[in-house]
Amino acid sequence: MFWIREAQVNNIYFKTTIISLLIIVSQAIAVDNCIECHNQIHEQIISDCKEDAHSRARVFCAGCHGGNSALADEEAMNPKYGFVGAPKPKDIPRFCARCHSDAGYMRNFNPALPVDQLEKYWTSRHGELFKKGDYKVAVCNSCHKAHGVFPSGDTRSSAHPKKVPSTCAKCHSDPALMQTYGIPTHQYTQYIDSSNVHGYALFVKNDITAPVCNDCHGNHGAAPPGVSQVGQVCSHCHMLNAKLFRASPHKDGFDALGTMECAFCHQASPDVNAPLARIHTIVKPMAKLAGTVQPAVCVQCHSQGDAGWQMAGKVSAGSDSLAGKFAAAEALIKRAEKRGLEVSDARWQLNGDIHRAMLELRTAIHSFDLEAWQQHFDYADSLVNAVNAQGLHATQELSSRYKYFLIMTLIIALLIVLLILKIHQVENDRKAALTNKQGGIRR
Amino acid sequence: MPIEHTPNYSVSRRRFLDLLLGGTGLAALIGLFYPIFRYLTPPEQEEAVVSSVNLGPAKDFPLNSGKIFRFGNKPGIIIRGSDGKFRAYNATCTHLDCIVQYDAKVEGVWCACHNGRYDINGRNISGPPPRPLTPYAVKIQPGAEEILIASQDGAQG
Amino acid sequence: MNNKMWNWFNERYKIDSLREFAQKKSVPLHSATIWYYFGGITLFLFGVQVLTGIFLLLYYRPGVDTAFESVKFIITKVKFGWLIRSVHSWSANLMVASAIIHMFSVFFHRSYRKPRELSWVTGVIMLCLLLTFGFSGYLLPWNELAFFATKVGTDSARAVPFIGDMALRLMRGGADVTGATLARFFGLHISILPIVFAVVLGVHLFFVQLQGMSKPLGHSRDDGKKRSMPFVPDFFLRDLIVWMVVFNIVLMLAVFFPWELGVKADPFSPAPAGIKPEWYFLFVFQSLKFLPAHIGPFEGEMVGIMALGLVGLAIILLPWLDRAASRERRSRWLDAIGVFVLLYFAVFTILGYVLD
């Protein structure tokens, strides 16, 4: 045939092409042999694996289960070919680690992939119990599934941020299972509560950087954070607040009380008698959190007269007055904008500097140092006052409009009166002229 | 018959009325043309759309520093890297709209609200920010060596 | 000096005859004389529109990126820009209102009857031009409300049989309301419409001067006892007074109720709730809403638009349809139709505001 003759001319290329084709075909055939027989009984598993991370790395059935996939009969599953079948839970961690803890081997696929998962696992609560022979605890596939394993950034993965809460909840919301360990089961319901800022950010605002279970508890090394570690955990994102808190007198006090730093005040309805009751619902911080009346959290420990009580009172009164002033100034500016008055500087201040100053003021509370807070307060207050002044100035501009209208109205009114007089005069003149004519008197 | 209808308006009264009418008419015209004249006078800001802003001489910006500036109604940040190059971005963090700042220690942009970080090219590298910062074009006026900021698409902010 | 100048002009342009004409011109006096003012009011407001329109042009910039910004610039940064813009918007609305009142008064007095048929026709044409003025001017600030109202408004053109789709594309300058539509509407609003309007207005005024003002039915026969008032200066001075009052009202509206700019149009955002056209289109909008989706074999909206077209045609042909009026007789059923149309307009406009 013509094309073969043509190819023979480029003999070397022809050979290489044929060889690489054979390799591809043989690999394809190798997969086919497992699937060939199992496609009926393991249809779901086969379709799950189709595009998962292992398939993409060309690790097919035999890659984990062993055996010789080149053979097309029962012989393929002879243990002499390394066939292991489905590994038992007690074997899983080490089973996966054969590859995943082998840095040299993993480098073939993704050199940036960590290989310390097993090591971390042994440090986790799960791993500790596992070592003691409790095989009911979570192992690799409890979270990652056995078939259909995807990188955690893939939405199909059970370890994707949006799936993590429900993945953990499979066991941790099961009262029968958790009873044996004496662990409460309300974490998931608390987390998905719409008043939980992080859950809200994750599920409603689709912010997959919002912290889920493993961001605070760790993933392969999952364990409850120690009471004094909570601040550290929160500080990954809320670093300024955490920094101030840890330098404040509250740090030691909280540790002594066994309340969980940030989480104690910021949980829904904090109660010093049950400091951990709702720590998985972290609510949006609001001004009334600091103060001397419920629901302010300060009253949980401070009583009338002590320094904390006094500061709480000042902070609460200050925030209230500032919020009121801010609302008033904003209303002024809004009204001015609606009327088309020039207040873009004020608007810039409201959205920029003041927004930032109020944020900093909120952060400054965490120092629990009245003087430091007062400084921030005075700054924010002066900014709001300046905007208010601009709003008032705009209102004056408005009154100058009214003045213009008033003057014009007066002139027009006067003009109208004069025109009426003029009409009278014209008509009278004409009437007089007519009478004179009729009277035959010539002028 | 005696004349019943002598003109009610004597000549002087008539002239007075005409004069008053003319005067008031003139006042009305002035009242009308005053705003028109003010309207025609070019306003301080001569054009409607802010598509560029002048930040002053380049030598005022030290190496490895950043500064927040106002661009229309939005905050901008101008950074002079340790390489001497200028870069400018919309300073609104792409996470929750806080205003970012320059962190000279790591030579990058940092948002204090949730510890989000961007590199000096505005790319989000860690923390919650989902997107890079929106870049502005920086031009250095030849001769005067003044910094001009313009948005990439020519529109405001 | 004055006399010299007068003579100089008079020698060349015969302005004496003009003066004579003006002095001879008179306004009939009767119980309905007051309605004569509305033509003058409309004319005055047109003058205000031309003047403020020209001023707005100095700063306005058509274009998706600049239209809204430049109007905002006018009302915030330009001194008295808020006044010019608000006066333009308010005066436009009052002008439509006074034109409609003028037309109804002409209708109920049958002033369109022989020999003033063409005055009526030019008047109806001007009303159509006015509505187009309003419709095109509404979009120019490129704010959300105007954007979606224009979208809905132009969309109803689709219902016109055969040429609907083409008319829609022609109006919008494409398949959708975009910057191309804005450019079209701008050209229409500041160039084409003013020229056409000025020409038709000239013809309309020329007819009125030529034929004098119409008298109510029955008045034209008894010429013996006719009462009238000289146009200059008596009626003209009264006109001036009315104009002053109207101008003051416009100023008041502009100062105390400045026309809002709203938010900039975002073509990709969903239409906000409560999108309504300008009040003078509201009755059409509301009627189309009430129509069922299908009437017989036709689409409801199509039937509505066609009916509207027929009504428009009947209005233009009214002087020839109304045979009674040309014989100086008042047709009762035409009065009934007029009252019905007025009530329909009022009720559906109110419904348009009340219902959502």
Side-chain angles (χ1 to χ4, degrees):
Chain A
M1 271 183 282
F2 176 73
W3 67 271
I4 290 184
R5 238 187 313 137
E6 196 69 3
Q8 275 164 346
V9 178
N10 306 312
N11 209 350
I12 297 166
Y13 295 112
F14 180 71
K15 274 182 186 162
T16 16
T17 315
I18 292 293
I19 288 167
S20 38
L21 263 175
L22 278 176
I23 291 170
I24 291 168
V25 167
S26 70
Q27 277 180 351
I29 287 170
V31 177
D32 272 358
N33 275 341
C34 295
I35 296 170
E36 202 79 352
C37 301
H38 288 267
N39 61 1
Q40 292 292 324
I41 38 169
H42 292 133
E43 195 185 352
Q44 187 58 45
I45 288 175
I46 290 163
S47 88
D48 282 350
C49 290
K50 217 168 197 173
E51 288 178 13
D52 82 348
H54 289 141
S55 290
R56 268 185 281 175
R58 312 203 62 75
V59 175
F60 302 110
C61 314
C64 295
H65 297 289
N68 185 350
S69 56
L71 303 174
D73 54 20
E74 300 263 329
E75 177 63 9
M77 298 190 286
N78 192 319
K80 76 177 180 200
Y81 295 118
F83 182 75
V84 289
K88 304 255 168 350
K90 73 178 174 64
D91 299 324
I92 292 271
R94 288 185 192 87
F95 181 83
C96 296
R98 289 180 309 165
C99 296
H100 280 275
S101 291
D102 183 342
Y105 181 69
M106 291 307 287
R107 195 161 45 222
N108 296 329
F109 305 103
N110 181 358
L113 215 60
V115 288
D116 56 357
Q117 294 94 337
L118 184 66
E119 218 172 301
K120 279 181 170 168
Y121 180 71
W122 297 135
T123 71
S124 76
R125 199 82 191 103
H126 297 140
E128 281 173 11
L129 291 167
F130 184 91
K131 271 199 166 161
K132 286 181 190 155
D134 180 355
Y135 303 127
K136 290 202 302 283
V137 298
V139 290
C140 312
N141 67 323
S142 317
C143 300
H144 290 285
K145 295 189 186 168
H147 304 104
V149 180
F150 291 96
S152 61
D154 192 315
T155 50
R156 291 169 292 185
S157 166
S158 51
H160 182 269
K162 289 189 85 168
K163 302 266 183 63
V164 166
S166 56
T167 296
C168 296
K170 273 193 305 185
C171 301
H172 283 273
S173 289
D174 179 350
L177 186 59
M178 286 301 121
Q179 206 179 16
T180 25
Y181 305 103
I183 298 177
T185 51
H186 53 51
Q187 302 92 336
Y188 180 67
T189 34
Q190 282 190 14
Y191 184 83
I192 60 167
D193 190 311
S194 64
S195 63
N196 176 29
V197 269
H198 298 136
Y200 186 84
L202 178 70
F203 295 120
V204 181
K205 290 160 85 180
N206 270 312
D207 180 353
I208 57 162
T209 63
V212 291
C213 315
N214 65 314
D215 289 300
C216 298
H217 294 281
N219 30 29
H220 300 111
V227 163
S228 61
Q229 289 160 9
V230 169
Q232 196 60 41
V233 167
C234 299
S235 77
H236 282 295
C237 292
H238 303 277
M239 57 183 307
L240 290 181
N241 311 43
K243 199 174 150 196
L244 289 175
F245 178 84
R246 303 200 125 203
S248 80
H250 271 155
K251 168 68 181 147
D252 293 339
F254 274 43
D255 285 354
L257 274 172
T259 50
M260 281 196 162
E261 300 194 323
C262 318
F264 173 65
C265 297
H266 289 283
Q267 66 181 300
S269 54
D271 179 0
V272 75
N273 297 316
L276 309 181
R278 296 195 64 187
I279 53 167
H280 287 98
T281 302
I282 300 294
V283 295
K284 204 175 164 75
M286 44 192 175
K288 57 183 183 211
L289 197 59
T292 52
V293 269
Q294 286 274 16
V297 68
C298 311
V299 299
Q300 292 290 332
C301 302
H302 291 281
S303 50
Q304 193 153 12
D306 71 20
W309 179 277
Q310 277 169 13
M311 179 177 172
K314 281 193 178 146
V315 165
S316 145
S319 313
D320 281 355
S321 94
L322 196 61
K325 271 184 174 179
F326 181 84
E330 196 179 28
L332 259 182
I333 298 305
K334 222 178 198 166
R335 175 162 166 260
E337 276 172 341
K338 222 173 172 183
R339 297 259 153 147
L341 294 163
E342 167 54 27
V343 283
S344 61
D345 268 322
R347 174 53 74 188
W348 158 257
Q349 289 264 315
L350 277 176
N351 293 351
D353 291 352
I354 294 185
H355 179 74
R356 219 172 347 151
M358 291 182 83
L359 217 67
E360 281 167 12
L361 182 63
R362 271 206 330 234
T363 305
I365 292 177
H366 297 89
S367 68
F368 302 103
D369 173 350
L370 186 56
E371 236 173 85
W373 180 83
Q374 191 70 41
Q375 265 179 16
H376 281 96
F377 176 82
D378 291 344
Y379 175 62
D381 195 52
S382 70
L383 289 180
V384 174
N385 285 340
V387 167
N388 204 55
Q390 285 189 57
L392 289 175
H393 182 77
T395 315
Q396 278 168 10
E397 151 82 22
L398 206 59
S399 73
S400 80
R401 287 184 183 186
Y402 298 156
K403 249 179 243 160
Y404 170 75
F405 172 70
L406 197 71
I407 292 171
M408 282 306 278
T409 308
L410 284 176
I411 294 176
I412 288 173
L414 183 61
L415 204 56
I416 288 172
V417 171
L418 292 173
L419 281 171
I420 291 172
L421 286 176
K422 181 77 188 164
I423 290 170
H424 264 277
Q425 178 225 307
V426 167
E427 283 178 350
N428 267 323
D429 280 3
R430 194 179 302 117
K431 239 184 241 168
L434 207 66
T435 337
N436 289 351
K437 222 187 249 171
Q438 281 169 349
I441 294 161
R442 284 177 188 278
R443 298 178 72 196
Chain B
M1 247 180 84
I3 301 160
E4 273 181 15
H5 294 285
T6 44
N8 278 343
Y9 293 82
S10 65
V11 176
S12 66
R13 273 184 74 182
R14 183 176 318 174
R15 184 167 288 168
F16 178 67
L17 182 61
D18 283 351
L19 214 66
L20 215 56
L21 207 56
T24 319
L26 197 69
L29 280 183
I30 291 171
L32 209 64
F33 278 103
Y34 172 71
I36 291 175
F37 175 73
R38 294 296 305 276
Y39 179 85
L40 296 178
T41 318
E44 278 167 42
Q45 177 196 329
E46 284 161 15
E47 275 186 293
V49 183
V50 178
S51 56
S52 71
V53 62
N54 191 331
L55 295 183
K59 60 177 165 52
D60 288 359
F61 295 86
L63 291 183
N64 195 19
S65 74
K67 192 177 168 233
I68 299 287
F69 62 93
R70 182 179 169 180
F71 192 35
N73 265 333
K74 291 179 180 131
I77 183 169
I78 177 153
I79 296 162
R80 186 168 202 188
S82 38
D83 56 356
K85 255 180 86 179
F86 284 96
R87 297 166 178 88
Y89 307 97
N90 182 333
T92 312
C93 180
T94 53
H95 179 225
L96 288 176
D97 296 347
C98 288
I99 294 175
V100 297
Q101 50 189 286
Y102 184 67
D103 185 346
K105 273 180 286 181
V106 299
E107 301 196 14
V109 179
W110 178 59
C111 177
C113 286
H114 295 93
N115 200 16
R117 289 193 179 276
Y118 304 84
D119 68 9
I120 199 163
N121 292 314
R123 264 193 303 266
N124 48 323
I125 46 172
S126 82
R131 283 183 307 281
L133 295 168
T134 312
Y136 293 144
V138 182
K139 288 169 200 153
I140 300 182
Q141 269 184 332
E145 297 292 314
E146 289 193 331
I147 306 285
L148 277 179
I149 304 288
S151 69
Q152 302 283 54
D153 53 6
Q156 182 170 5
Chain C
M1 181 62 200
N2 254 348
N3 259 349
K4 250 190 183 170
M5 248 167 73
W6 177 269
N7 288 337
W8 191 93
F9 275 104
N10 200 23
E11 251 180 81
R12 286 159 181 81
Y13 302 107
K14 305 252 181 303
I15 37 180
D16 257 346
S17 60
L18 262 180
R19 182 159 69 169
E20 217 170 291
F21 175 80
Q23 274 166 351
K24 259 197 224 155
K25 183 174 161 63
S26 69
V27 178
L29 274 181
H30 45 79
S31 59
T33 301
I34 187 166
W35 297 108
Y36 289 139
Y37 290 107
F38 282 92
I41 292 174
T42 317
L43 182 67
F44 170 72
L45 289 173
F46 180 65
V48 172
Q49 287 307 92
V50 171
L51 209 68
T52 50
I54 289 172
F55 288 136
L56 287 176
L57 262 183
L58 297 184
Y59 296 106
Y60 177 75
R61 290 184 179 183
V64 173
D65 296 323
T66 52
F68 181 85
E69 284 78 2
S70 63
V71 176
K72 193 168 183 167
F73 178 74
I74 290 173
I75 63 175
T76 56
K77 297 278 161 71
V78 183
K79 293 264 179 288
F80 284 101
W82 59 273
L83 183 68
I84 304 279
R85 195 238 164 182
S86 263
V87 166
H88 193 75
S89 303
W90 273 115
S91 156
N93 281 275
L94 293 188
M95 187 181 173
V96 173
S98 89
I100 290 174
I101 294 172
H102 181 49
M103 193 170 112
F104 270 107
S105 86
V106 166
F107 171 81
F108 282 113
H109 292 119
R110 307 289 191 274
S111 309
Y112 51 75
R113 67 188 185 277
K114 189 184 162 191
R116 295 185 177 80
E117 296 97 328
L118 291 183
S119 299
W120 171 263
V121 171
T122 49
V124 174
I125 292 173
M126 275 195 289
L127 185 71
C128 293
L129 290 173
L130 262 191
L131 296 181
T132 322
F133 255 127
F135 188 68
S136 57
Y138 194 50
L139 180 70
L140 298 189
W142 200 246
N143 57 20
E144 194 179 49
L145 224 60
F147 176 82
F148 286 103
T150 304
K151 227 175 155 141
V152 174
T154 46
D155 199 58
S156 53
R158 207 192 288 268
V160 179
F162 308 121
I163 58 158
D165 279 323
M166 207 185 69
L168 180 85
R169 288 182 61 83
L170 212 61
M171 275 198 287
R172 290 182 174 175
D176 221 327
V177 177
T178 58
T181 321
L182 184 61
R184 260 164 208 241
F185 277 34
F186 176 67
L188 195 69
H189 191 83
I190 66 131
S191 159
I192 299 169
L193 285 175
I195 292 172
V196 177
F197 193 88
V199 170
V200 183
L201 178 63
V203 174
H204 189 75
L205 290 177
F206 177 69
F207 287 159
V208 174
Q209 301 317 313
L210 210 62
Q211 300 173 324
M213 281 166 168
S214 150
K215 275 157 264 180
L217 285 172
H219 278 247
S220 35
R221 263 179 281 175
D222 47 355
D223 275 7
K225 279 197 287 174
K226 73 167 178 187
R227 298 207 307 126
S228 71
M229 174 202 284
F231 184 82
V232 181
D234 300 43
F235 192 79
F236 183 68
L237 287 176
R238 285 174 170 80
D239 249 351
L240 271 184
I241 291 176
V242 173
W243 292 358
M244 293 286 122
V245 171
V246 169
F247 184 65
N248 211 10
I249 291 174
V250 172
L251 270 189
M252 185 192 74
L253 290 170
V255 168
F256 291 100
F257 307 97
W259 205 264
E260 276 189 32
L261 180 57
V263 292
K264 188 178 173 172
D266 174 9
F268 300 109
S269 73
I275 282 296
K276 285 189 174 101
E278 297 247 75
W279 61 270
Y280 37 84
F281 290 122
L282 207 52
F283 77 103
V284 181
F285 179 71
Q286 197 57 39
S287 312
L288 290 179
K289 264 207 214 165
F290 278 144
L291 285 176
H294 289 280
I295 299 174
F298 306 108
E299 267 182 53
E301 197 168 337
M302 189 177 107
V303 174
I305 294 283
M306 296 300 287
L308 199 71
L310 282 179
V311 170
L313 195 67
I315 290 176
I316 290 186
L317 296 178
L318 189 61
W320 294 277
L321 295 175
D322 182 9
R323 301 269 179 79
S326 50
R327 280 176 264 125
E328 292 293 312
R329 278 214 317 272
R330 175 175 285 274
S331 149
R332 289 286 150 215
W333 62 265
L334 200 60
D335 272 343
I337 289 177
V339 170
F340 172 76
V341 169
L342 203 56
L343 279 178
Y344 184 90
F345 181 74
V347 168
F348 273 71
T349 304
I350 292 167
L351 278 181
Y353 275 108
V354 176
L355 301 182
D356 261 335

